[in-house]
Amino acid sequence: MSQGFSELAAKRRTIYALGSTPPLPEDEVIALIETAIKNAPSAFNSQSSRALILLNHEHKKFWELTKAQLRKRVPAEAFAATEKKIDGFAAAAGSVLFFEDQSVVSGLQQQFPTYADNFPVWSEHSTGIAQYAVWLALAEKNIGANLQHYNPLVDEDVQQSWNIPASWKLRAQMNFGSIDAPAGEKSYIADSDRFIVAR
């Protein structure tokens, strides 16, 4: 049964208990992610969003690199909790690393100098929309996900390990996999604090 947008938006939740067996074959998951990013809107149709899709060993490798960086910074007595959290991310089926191509941003700044200050901001809008599009696409197929931000801590490791172009700026990391436990109840602030309607 197809879901309307409102139902799908409500279904998309932060899922931390992720397993390594999503309900779709890997190639279908990859195509789902790629299609969502391709169709995400961007300012001036800049298409500045980029992605590194990591599966299996490569996914686990990313979280081991992250853990190694955190080990240098987190006090030893507090590291056990950090390690448990990172191991939870590594238990998922894969991760999508979202980037914004700064060569596209600087090219637009040169082409349209009047809006030069806005293009970095609009680039951040683009990556946010791409992340949400992927998250919705995964949720529609009953694939759980959570979004993390270990950049810039891991930027250099990622660039070296996967030969990422220097112009790609890491913005977020999304883990995905089977839903081993649902998200908790979600609370909302009052509509009166969030919305102003003028007629």
Side-chain angles (χ1 to χ4, degrees), residues 126-157:
S126 295
T127 190
I129 294 169
Q131 291 162 31
Y132 186 61
V134 169
W135 210 338
L136 286 177
L138 292 170
E140 184 179 34
K141 300 298 182 182
N142 297 312
I143 300 171
N146 62 66
L147 190 66
Q148 305 302 318
H149 299 89
Y150 286 94
N151 43 288
L153 186 69
V154 296
D155 289 19
E156 190 174 334
D157 287 337

Side-chain angles (χ1 to χ4, degrees), residues 165-180:
S167 64
W168 290 22
K169 184 177 183 182
L170 184 59
R171 306 314 299 135
Q173 307 86 48
M174 182 180 290
N175 299 300
F176 61 86
S178 49
I179 301 172
D180 286 358

Side-chain angles (χ1 to χ4, degrees), residues 53-150:
I53 302 169
L54 300 172
L55 301 164
N56 307 310
H57 169 74
E58 298 297 312
H59 159 71
K60 293 185 186 312
K61 176 182 172 181
F62 170 75
W63 288 109
E64 284 301 317
L65 291 170
T66 305
K67 192 192 295 185
Q69 288 295 341
L70 288 167
R71 195 183 297 275
K72 298 173 189 176
R73 293 161 174 82
V74 177
E77 62 275 11
F79 190 73
T82 297
E83 185 170 37
K84 183 178 178 183
K85 184 177 183 181
I86 299 300
D87 288 347
F89 299 149
S95 47
V96 185
L97 275 58
F98 292 89
F99 302 81
E100 282 293 300
D101 191 341
Q102 301 306 298
S103 68
V104 174
V105 175
S106 60
L108 287 166
Q109 287 176 313
Q110 291 168 23
Q111 191 176 356
F112 302 100
T114 303
Y115 305 111
D117 290 345
N118 291 7
F119 284 112
V121 177
W122 292 338
S123 169
E124 293 299 306
H125 297 173
S126 295
T127 190
I129 294 169
Q131 291 162 31
Y132 186 61
V134 169
W135 210 338
L136 286 177
L138 292 170
E140 184 179 34
K141 300 298 182 182
N142 297 312
I143 300 171
N146 62 66
L147 190 66
Q148 305 302 318
H149 299 89
Y150 286 94

